[in-house]
Every structure is written in C-alpha cells, then in structure tokens.
C-alpha cells in the first residue's frame, strides 16, 4: 500500500550533520555486533542485544516495513519499484519510498552518480533538481521510469538506496529511540513512523507524534514505563495516520506493532506473526548476517 502523508524535505542541515555522526556510530556498531554475527553463523539462537541496528534485526525491520509498504517481505525486490501514487510528492520509488518531490530521490541519484558517474539516471539530475518540492514530472516521465528500473540491477544503485535510507531514516530513528531508552521494538516503531511520516515537526510528522506521546507518558529514559510510553506513541501515530492519509488505515499499528507490544516482545525475537492490511506474514527465525548484502536482490530471510 503506497499512501503516506507528505513528509517534507529530509535533507535539512541537522539531518546532514546527523548523517555524519551516524557514519562514526556504524563503525562502532560493527564491533558491537561482531560476536553476534559469529554466533549466528555457527547456528546459535541469540537475540541481537545491540538493538535494531545489528544486521539480523535490521533485516527483520526491513521485512516488516516492506510488508506494509509493498505487501511483501522481499524488500530487495523493491529497488526497481517506481510510480506516482498520487500523493502530491511526484514519483515514489525504491526500498523506502524515496520521492522526487521531497529531495531524497534526488539524493539517491546524486549518491549513485558520485560513485558511478556513467549511469542511466545521471542525465536526469537537472530535472530532479527542478521538480524537487513539487509533484511535477517535467523532464522525467517514462524515460526516467525506465532508467530507474534499469539501474535497479546495479549494485552501486542498490548501495546508494541503502545509504540514503540509513542516513535519513534508519540511523536517526534508532539513535532517537536509544536516547529515549527504548529497546529493539521501540526502535522499530520509531523507524516505521519516520518512513511513513517523515522526521519533521509538522502536525503529522514524527516530531509531533513523539511530542504528543510524551504529553501522555514518559519514555524510559525519563523514568517512564516502556509499554505505557509505546502505547501512547502508537495512539498518537494512529491519530496522525487518520489525519494524513486518504485510507486512514491503521493496520501497521493495530495488527503489527501493537501485536508485538502486547506480546511484550521488546527484542523483536522471532517467530513473528502479524498482518498488514489484512495480509498475514511470518518471520520464523533470525536471518543470517550475510542476508543484508545489497548485491543479493531477491534473497529472503526465513
């Protein structure tokens, strides 16, 4: 299902500074997750203690998001996805729903071109700059759509999509959740909210959702109860979905995230069973660490 509220331009000066900070954090995280990767490789069943940003948990997070965004667990099949879903943000494409009207699609193509100057999307950079902030297709159209789909088989383009996802959506949400004292489930709840609503402070943005939740309950970092706070956050999220989308469907809260919270599964430990928009899904086991490599489109975790 592709129907989301306007999420604004994600590339604010603060988000760019956060991206630089995140690169250092990821280096430290690789060290923290090393023992986990070894344990999983030899078949040990162990929860990723470092949180959502350990590779197996991150893989689970992407499958959960894909179930709501694309009605599939195979999120790598979405590198090639692109269409105008009529939400006023131009084209929506790729693994996280980058938009030509909000700047993040432009950033993906810019990153791709920086790493591989001769690519099928590079000629469209001037047009992407012009349509940024609008719903226009001027200078894009079918040739751009075909070029996007052709580029999707290129590992450099896949890597650019993942880098933009991490810098703008994944890393900031996980960092904020850890600062609020939330475990893996709470980190995922923040990530999914930023994917759908954007990280801004507009009425339906992540900042406002969090503020509304904190008016009702304190996060653990401020001495609050984690379950109580996350329920308040999900209530505020539902209000934002109802205000900001045509369908007003809160399934990704009611029959996914609230299910895990009611089970008190704060570590997102598989097996996970949920529904999004009526479709049932299951993740039976932690995926192996090598499952997240961008060069392996079509791979699926159990």
């Amino acid at each position: 299902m592709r129907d989301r509220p306007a999420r604004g331009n994600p590339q604010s000066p603060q988000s760019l500074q956060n991206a630089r900070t995140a690169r250092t954090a990821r280096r430290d995280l690789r060290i923290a997750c090393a023992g986990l990767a070894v344990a999983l490789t030899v078949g040990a069943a162990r929860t990723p203690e470092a949180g959502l940003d350990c590779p197996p948990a991150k893989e689970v997070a992407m499958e959960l998001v894909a179930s709501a965004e694309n009605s599939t667990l195979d999120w790598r099949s979405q590198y090639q996805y692109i269409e105008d879903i009529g939400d006023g943000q131009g084209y929506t494409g790729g693994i996280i729903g980058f938009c030509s009207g909000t700047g993040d699609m432009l950033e993906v193509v810019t990153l791709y071109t920086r790493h591989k100057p001769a690519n099928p999307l590079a000629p469209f950079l001037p047009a992407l700059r012009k349509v940024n902030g609008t719903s226009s297709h001027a200078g894009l159209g079918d040739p751009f759509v075909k070029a996007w789909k052709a580029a999707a088989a290129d590992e450099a383009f896949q890597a650019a999509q993942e880098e933009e996802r991490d810098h703008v959506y994944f890393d900031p949400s996980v960092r904020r959740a850890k600062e609020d004292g939330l475990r893996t489930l709470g980190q995922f709840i923040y990530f999914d909210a930023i994917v759908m609503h954007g990280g801004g402070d507009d009425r339906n943005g992540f900042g406002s959702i969090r503020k509304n939740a904190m008016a009702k309950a304190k996060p653990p970092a401020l001495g609050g109860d984690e379950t109580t706070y996350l329920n308040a956050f999900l209530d505020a999220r539902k209000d934002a979905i109802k205000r900001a989308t045509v369908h007003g469907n809160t399934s990704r809260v009611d029959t996914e995230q609230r299910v895990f919270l009611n089970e008190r599964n704060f570590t997102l430990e598989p097996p996970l069973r949920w529904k999004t928009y009526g479709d049932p899904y299951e993740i039976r086991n932690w995926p192996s660490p090598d499952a997240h490599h961008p060069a392996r489109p079509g791979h699926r975790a159990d």
Side-chain angles (χ1 to χ4, degrees):
M1 176 172 290
R2 289 284 187 180
D3 186 4
R4 72 175 81 215
R7 51 188 192 192
N9 191 322
Q11 293 291 25
S12 66
Q14 184 60 50
S15 71
L16 292 172
Q17 178 59 44
N18 289 344
R20 288 188 285 270
T21 302
R23 282 191 282 271
T24 301
R26 282 197 299 277
R27 179 196 61 199
D28 297 337
L29 176 68
R30 285 194 294 271
I31 298 172
C33 290
L36 171 63
V38 172
L40 285 169
T41 299
V42 300
R46 180 181 171 192
T47 300
E49 296 171 355
L52 199 68
D53 40 7
C54 268
K58 186 174 184 179
E59 180 74 16
V60 166
M62 286 302 297
E63 293 195 7
L64 291 170
V65 168
S67 75
E69 292 282 314
N70 304 101
S71 299
T72 181
L73 298 186
D74 186 8
W75 62 270
R76 289 176 181 80
S77 67
Q78 301 307 304
Y79 291 118
Q80 55 80 39
Y81 167 77
I82 186 166
E83 66 176 322
D84 188 328
I85 62 175
D87 62 354
Q89 298 180 63
Y91 286 112
T92 295
I95 59 173
I96 216 70
F98 308 109
C99 297
S100 60
T102 63
D104 51 358
M105 183 173 281
L106 169 61
E107 288 300 317
V108 168
V109 178
T110 300
L111 283 169
Y112 180 31
T113 304
R114 185 178 304 152
H115 295 302
K116 188 173 183 178
N119 72 74
L121 289 171
F124 296 96
L125 278 170
L128 284 170
R129 294 187 187 101
K130 289 181 179 179
V131 303
N132 188 19
T134 76
S135 62
S136 175
H137 293 182
L140 300 174
D142 288 342
F144 175 70
V145 169
K146 291 178 182 177
W148 181 279
K149 291 181 177 181
D154 188 345
E155 292 179 18
F157 185 49
Q158 296 168 16
Q161 289 195 33
E162 295 198 26
E163 184 175 349
E164 181 70 3
R165 172 203 62 196
D166 289 348
H167 287 181
V168 178
Y169 300 101
F170 188 84
D171 292 346
S173 59
V174 171
R175 181 170 55 250
R176 177 74 268 182
K178 287 185 176 183
E179 290 170 354
D180 284 346
L182 301 175
R183 286 175 280 179
T184 307
L185 173 59
Q187 293 164 31
F188 170 71
I189 287 172
Y190 274 24
F191 173 49
D192 189 70
I194 287 182
V195 166
M196 185 174 187
H197 300 270
D201 293 323
D202 57 281
R203 187 183 182 211
N204 298 310
F206 170 82
S208 294
I209 294 171
R210 179 173 173 271
K211 180 179 178 180
N212 292 337
M214 293 181 72
K216 301 289 182 62
K218 293 180 180 180
L222 297 179
D225 175 77
E226 190 169 12
T227 299
T228 301
Y229 172 73
L230 287 176
N231 270 314
F233 185 91
L234 292 177
D235 288 343
R237 171 101 191 267
K238 286 181 64 173
D239 290 341
I241 292 173
K242 290 175 180 177
R243 284 193 302 265
T245 63
V246 174
H247 60 77
N249 192 316
T250 59
S251 171
R252 63 203 294 164
V253 171
D254 300 328
T255 58
E256 182 191 289
Q257 294 168 35
R258 193 92 72 177
V259 169
F260 306 147
L261 183 56
N262 289 341
E263 294 171 347
R264 299 186 65 81
N265 189 352
F266 294 106
T267 57
L268 277 181
E269 180 84 34
L272 299 171
R273 299 177 181 89
W274 74 98
K275 292 181 179 181
T276 52
Y277 307 113
D279 296 327
Y281 298 93
E282 179 180 20
I283 297 174
R284 294 187 296 274
N285 303 297
W286 287 115
S288 60
D290 66 351
H292 74 292
H293 194 281
R296 299 178 62 188
H299 178 87
R300 289 185 62 172
D302 286 339

